[in-house]
Amino acid sequence: MAETMQFDLVSPERKLASVQATEVRIPGADGDLTAMPNHAPMITTLRPGVLEVVTTDGSSRYIVTGGFAEISAEGTSVLAERSHPVEEVTQEMVDEMVASAHAAHKEAHPDVADTAAKLLADMVAMGTHIGLDPNVPSI
């Protein structure tokens, strides 16, 4: 039997997952990473993207739009600003998230405009990754 770890995914609205996982693929702000049992302890912030949880029974995918992940040898906890199972995500939801990121980019101070542009690009990529076609406003 594969070695497992405790995995929990929580957003402000609800607890989305609490399972024994063999690996968790995380869209980290500094790059994608995979947490596995006995992983070295670390904390990372999340970028908008698709988080995948692999268990002995299969895998589940969730969108996340920010937050952080705490990884340890015993398990991984993700506290997401917003998260939904991929199956629940609609075109309208992605369009709303992209529009919100676009508005933040337009209103961003020049010192953080590059960060806002990256957030917008990540939102668009997240929608595309799950098979939706985000309404992409021009930057």
Side-chain angles (χ1 to χ4, degrees):
M1 179 169 199
E3 191 172 1
T4 63
M5 64 179 173
Q6 179 62 37
F7 171 73
D8 295 295
L9 172 59
V10 180
S11 72
E13 297 86 23
R14 61 186 169 161
K15 182 180 235 177
L16 289 119
S18 183
V19 297
Q20 289 295 307
T22 56
E23 64 183 81
V24 181
R25 298 178 193 136
I26 300 168
D30 294 325
D32 293 346
L33 64 121
T34 301
M36 299 178 79
N38 300 311
H39 195 287
M42 68 177 288
I43 295 177
T44 186
T45 54
L46 304 176
R47 66 170 169 72
V50 178
L51 180 141
E52 185 169 5
V53 182
V54 180
T55 68
T56 55
D57 295 328
S59 66
S60 301
R61 296 183 329 145
Y62 304 86
I63 62 154
V64 293
T65 61
F68 70 92
E70 180 179 16
I71 302 165
S72 71
E74 295 80 34
T76 298
S77 296
V78 174
L79 302 175
E81 290 174 3
R82 186 171 179 182
S83 183
H84 300 279
V86 166
E87 302 80 34
E88 292 180 7
V89 180
T90 65
Q91 184 68 52
E92 293 77 25
M93 291 169 72
V94 172
D95 289 345
E96 179 268 321
M97 287 184 260
V98 169
S100 178
H102 184 257
H105 177 257
K106 281 178 58 174
E107 297 171 6
H109 186 275
D111 291 346
V112 294
D114 288 345
T115 301
K118 173 135 177 39
L119 174 68
L120 176 56
D122 286 341
M123 287 289 188
V124 170
M126 178 184 68
T128 303
H129 187 78
I130 63 171
L132 297 176
D133 183 21
N135 178 9
V136 184
S138 62
I139 295 177

